[in-house]
Amino acid sequence: MLHALSFVDDPTRVLRAARFESRYSFAMDSPTEGLARRAVGLDMLGEVSGTRLREELLGILEEESPADALTRLARLDALALLLPPGSDADVALAAVTATDAVLASEQRPCAALRPPGRRTALLVALSTGATPAAAERWVRHLHISREQASHVLQAALRGPAVATALRSRAVMRDSRLYRLLEPLSPEVLVNLWSLGDITARDRIERHCSELARVRPAVSGADLIALGASPSPDFSAILAR
C-alpha cells in the first residue's frame, strides 16, 4: 500500500488485493496484509454499497482461477461479505472450484444444450447451500441482474430437492427425470452435475442428450379436435 489509510479510503481494495495476488502470483507484504485484516476486522467492507461489492465479485469471477482469490479472501475473513447470509464458506468454495473445473473441461456436460454463462454459473455455485430467503436477500443486496438472479433463486428453491432425487438408487422413470430437470437452466444443471455422484451425473446427461430433445406428438390442436375447450387444464393434460 502507498499509505496506511489506503484500505480506509477504499475498502474494496481488500478485494482487489486478493484478485491481483491470484492473477499475478503476487503476495501482500506483512504491513499491507495486517492493515487489510484490520480493515476487515473493523467491518469497513460492511459500509460498502451492494453495487460496488457486486462489481468486485463479478471481477473476481472473471479471473482464470476465481477460487484462488476467494480462498484468499476467506483467509482474510472477508469472504462472508460476498456470500448469502448464513452460508458455509467451505461449501461455497468447493462448489466454485468444482463448477469452474467442469466449465473449463473439454467434455462439458450437457453440451447439447445452450452453453452456460460462466459468471452466472459461478454465482449459482457461490450460493450453494443458501436458503431461498437468504439467496433472495443476497441478490437484492448486491443488485444482481434479474436474469442472473433468476438462476440463483432457481437453484436455491429447487436445487436441494432435485439433488436428493438424482442421488436416489431407486429406478427413475424418464417422465419423472424430465419433470425434475426440464425447468432448470444450464447454469443450474452444470452445478448439479459438478456436485453430483455418478448416478446423478448419468441422469443429468441422459436428460440433456436425449429427454430434453423429446417433443410430444400431441398438441393443443389435437385436444381441441377431440372437443376440449382451451383452458389452463391443457398444460396438465399435455404434461401427462
Side-chain angles (χ1 to χ4, degrees):
M1 293 197 318
L2 297 181
H3 60 91
L5 295 180
S6 187
F7 290 131
V8 175
D9 291 345
D10 184 359
T12 61
R13 288 172 176 155
V14 173
L15 307 180
R16 287 194 295 282
R19 178 153 60 102
F20 294 149
E21 275 192 336
S22 172
R23 182 192 294 182
Y24 300 116
S25 297
F26 286 169
M28 286 183 271
D29 61 14
S30 295
T32 299
E33 180 172 343
L35 289 167
R37 290 184 179 278
R38 179 177 174 80
V40 173
L42 293 173
D43 196 28
M44 295 290 183
L45 281 167
E47 303 300 319
V48 176
S49 71
T51 299
R52 291 192 67 200
L53 289 177
R54 178 200 65 216
E55 291 306 304
E56 294 296 336
L57 175 58
L58 293 179
I60 290 171
L61 297 182
E62 286 179 344
E63 294 293 324
E64 183 177 347
S65 301
D68 290 345
L70 294 171
T71 299
R72 178 62 162 132
L73 289 173
R75 292 201 298 267
L76 293 171
D77 295 325
L79 182 58
L81 289 163
L82 299 180
L83 300 178
S87 290
D88 185 312
D90 290 336
V91 169
L93 286 171
V96 168
T97 301
T99 298
D100 200 32
V102 171
L103 292 171
S105 171
E106 294 182 0
Q107 297 181 326
R108 179 178 56 80
C110 292
L113 302 181
R114 169 182 65 77
R118 181 171 180 259
R119 284 200 312 184
T120 302
L122 293 178
L123 278 174
V124 172
L126 205 57
S127 67
T128 298
T131 65
E136 185 164 3
R137 290 199 300 274
W138 186 57
V139 298
R140 286 181 181 275
H141 174 61
L142 296 184
H143 300 282
I144 291 174
S145 72
R146 181 176 300 179
E147 191 273 334
Q148 290 179 321
S150 68
H151 301 288
V152 171
L153 296 177
Q154 183 184 79
L157 286 166
R158 300 179 61 92
V162 171
T164 298
L166 291 174
R167 289 194 301 269
S168 171
R169 295 297 187 267
V171 175
M172 183 180 294
R173 296 177 60 181
D174 284 347
S175 56
R176 181 172 183 235
L177 180 59
Y178 180 85
R179 286 197 301 272
L180 277 173
L181 300 184
E182 190 276 334
L184 304 182
S185 70
E187 287 78 8
V188 176
L189 287 173
V190 75
N191 276 276
L192 288 170
W193 192 96
S194 68
L195 299 174
D197 60 11
I198 187 64
T199 301
R201 292 182 174 187
D202 285 346
R203 284 169 170 166
I204 292 171
E205 283 293 338
R206 173 160 175 71
H207 169 75
C208 294
S209 62
E210 298 182 41
L211 304 183
R213 300 169 179 267
V214 174
R215 293 295 177 267
V218 177
S219 69
D222 295 301
L223 300 183
I224 292 172
L226 289 171
S229 298
S231 73
D233 292 338
F234 270 31
S235 295
I237 293 171
L238 293 174
R240 291 285 293 180

